[in-house]
Amino acid sequence: MDSVEKFALSIMLLFGALIIGGLMAIGIAWNDKPAFLYALGSAVVVWGSSFAVLFGKPTIYGALLVVAILLIGASIGAIVT
């Protein structure tokens, strides 16, 4: 992995952590249990996807990212409704 890829990955991780952490904080602050649990689930999925990157499995990584995006969407949907 060259320096540009490392920089791009660090930006994705930083903003991803901010988004997921913010959704978890809103879920706690507004006492919205489903929103918190969906955000926690997406955090666990993203954490698990790091192993796919480590072992060089791009298809598994892509599938886990899709699952994380769906969980983030469910968390936002739970907050809005």
Side-chain angles (χ1 to χ4, degrees):
M1 192 183 290
D2 62 354
S3 63
V4 175
E5 289 174 343
K6 286 182 183 178
F7 180 68
L9 183 62
S10 65
I11 289 175
M12 287 189 320
L13 291 174
L14 174 69
F15 285 108
L18 288 173
I19 290 168
I20 293 171
L23 287 173
M24 289 173 73
I26 288 174
I28 290 172
W30 290 353
N31 201 18
D32 192 356
K33 189 174 183 179
F36 172 76
L37 290 176
Y38 286 135
L40 181 64
S42 68
V44 170
V45 169
V46 170
W47 173 78
S49 71
S50 65
F51 294 106
V53 172
L54 182 66
F55 296 123
K57 305 287 185 184
T59 55
I60 295 173
Y61 178 68
L64 288 174
L65 283 181
V66 169
V67 171
I69 289 169
L70 292 174
L71 285 170
I72 289 171
S75 178
I76 292 170
I79 291 169
V80 171
T81 58

